Amino acid sequence: MGLYPDNPPVAKKGLSLQTDFVQVDTLKPTFRWHPLAIGTESSEDRDSARIDNITYELRIWRTVSSDEGKLVYQRQKLTTTEHRLKHALEYGTRYYWSVRAHFDIDGKTRTTEWTLAGYLLRSDSVPNDSCLRFKTPNRDQTPLP
């Protein structure tokens, strides 16, 4: 299970498994998501499990086709659930994005699935049709840096 995104928000297309490309107002958007919530089968397991070293990995792909993209931005070992891009993206371009968590539980390293907006794809194969989506403003929309 992935992490629930806050910004850019998810805009569902009715009953579709895909989402709309949400317009952002800058070429350096800030991405936000809910923190990792670990669920275990019983409260006894939760009390005894030790969860440490939670970090997040963010990836952004420029769309190439309806379900393919070229990786243009990646950050690992983020310690907060918010990240503002350091470098500007391209004007008037559609992007996919996703985030996942890395953490230690009782000394063993684990990784969540990539966050997706539609169906769950159990693999490291991102981007795909179900990725989170956004688009940057056109040049004439004069975005803030």
Side-chain angles (χ1 to χ4, degrees):
M1 181 174 214
L3 307 165
Y4 186 79
D6 280 331
N7 194 61
V10 175
K12 281 287 201 178
K13 292 174 158 183
L15 299 175
S16 174
L17 296 175
Q18 298 176 353
T19 59
D20 285 328
F21 285 90
V22 175
Q23 179 78 49
V24 295
D25 61 358
T26 177
L27 297 179
K28 294 182 183 178
T30 298
F31 294 82
R32 282 189 296 278
W33 54 91
H34 287 240
L36 177 66
I38 302 286
T40 58
E41 293 184 17
S42 73
S43 61
E44 188 175 296
D45 289 342
R46 270 194 304 273
D47 294 339
S48 65
R50 181 163 168 80
I51 300 165
D52 292 306
N53 303 321
I54 299 172
T55 62
Y56 301 95
E57 179 180 359
L58 172 69
R59 289 186 187 176
I60 300 170
W61 301 266
R62 186 181 68 241
T63 59
V64 174
S65 67
S66 65
D67 63 349
E68 294 181 22
K70 178 181 178 189
L71 186 65
V72 295
Y73 193 88
Q74 177 178 355
R75 289 296 180 270
Q76 297 177 328
K77 299 184 180 180
L78 299 170
T79 57
T80 64
T81 58
E82 180 175 300
H83 181 72
R84 181 178 169 119
L85 297 188
K86 306 292 185 205
H87 305 287
L89 298 172
E90 296 176 27
Y91 284 101
T93 304
R94 293 176 177 218
Y95 293 92
Y96 296 125
W97 74 282
S98 194
V99 63
R100 67 179 176 179
H102 300 271
F103 60 98
D104 294 338
I105 187 164
D106 290 333
K108 296 176 183 168
T109 302
R110 308 279 188 207
T111 303
T112 64
E113 298 287 340
W114 286 103
T115 297
L116 300 173
Y119 58 88
L120 182 61
L121 182 67
R122 294 200 173 273
S123 76
D124 199 31
S125 177
V126 286
N128 64 58
D129 278 350
S130 195
C131 275
L132 306 169
R133 299 165 180 226
F134 72 99
K135 60 185 174 183
T136 54
N138 293 324
R139 189 174 298 276
D140 61 352
Q141 292 174 304
T142 59
L144 301 172

